[in-house]
Amino acid sequence: QVQLVESGGGLVQAGGSLRLSCAASGRTFSSYIMGWFRQAPGKEREFVALINRSGVIRSYADSVKGRFTISRDNAKNTVYLQMNSLKPEDTAVYYCAARNSGIAVTNTRAYDYWGQGTQVTVSS
């Protein structure tokens, strides 16, 4: 089992940047596929980005491609989401999630563990 704790959220103006971090407990972090998801008020949780176990394979939602970058440091048990050129529509609670088997997928139901979320608010 793994516990996930997100940090780095906050209030930023449109066009600004934030870097989210997700720290994982346990000694098997490198065996998990990691993902970032977000949920805006009144909307379903949606996929943002994922990274495979080695960090070689990364995938992004079309809405964030070219603006967001996911990365991981297996030595620090941490996954990051660098968010640049933020837009008001990026406002949401951002969650990191871990998947401990199979291939990297974007479906929220495929992920086994979730953090508590961190709020990102982008003002216009």
Side-chain angles (χ1 to χ4, degrees):
Q1 190 169 354
V2 63
Q3 292 185 327
L4 305 172
V5 179
E6 302 98 333
S7 61
L11 173 64
V12 64
Q13 288 188 333
S17 298
L18 282 175
R19 188 195 197 201
L20 305 183
S21 299
C22 174
S25 65
R27 292 178 286 182
T28 59
F29 176 74
S30 60
S31 68
Y32 291 94
I33 295 163
M34 299 300 298
W36 284 97
F37 296 80
R38 67 187 181 186
Q39 188 166 16
K43 295 187 176 181
E44 292 189 353
R45 193 170 297 186
E46 65 175 6
F47 166 75
V48 175
L50 66 81
I51 189 166
N52 76 332
R53 296 171 179 88
S54 65
V56 172
I57 298 174
R58 310 179 194 195
S59 181
Y60 299 92
D62 288 343
S63 58
V64 307
K65 204 170 291 183
R67 300 187 298 122
F68 290 11
T69 302
I70 188 171
S71 61
R72 69 189 296 163
D73 186 336
N74 287 340
K76 295 182 178 180
N77 284 10
T78 303
V79 62
Y80 305 96
L81 186 69
Q82 177 67 43
M83 306 186 296
N84 298 329
S85 302
L86 283 161
K87 304 175 181 180
E89 51 264 44
D90 294 318
T91 295
V93 177
Y94 282 71
Y95 300 89
C96 74
R99 172 171 163 81
N100 65 4
S101 64
I103 61 174
V105 295
T106 62
N107 190 332
T108 58
R109 286 176 285 185
Y111 286 76
D112 304 290
Y113 305 103
W114 292 82
Q116 83 288 349
T118 185
Q119 177 71 47
V120 171
T121 303
V122 184
S123 64
S124 58

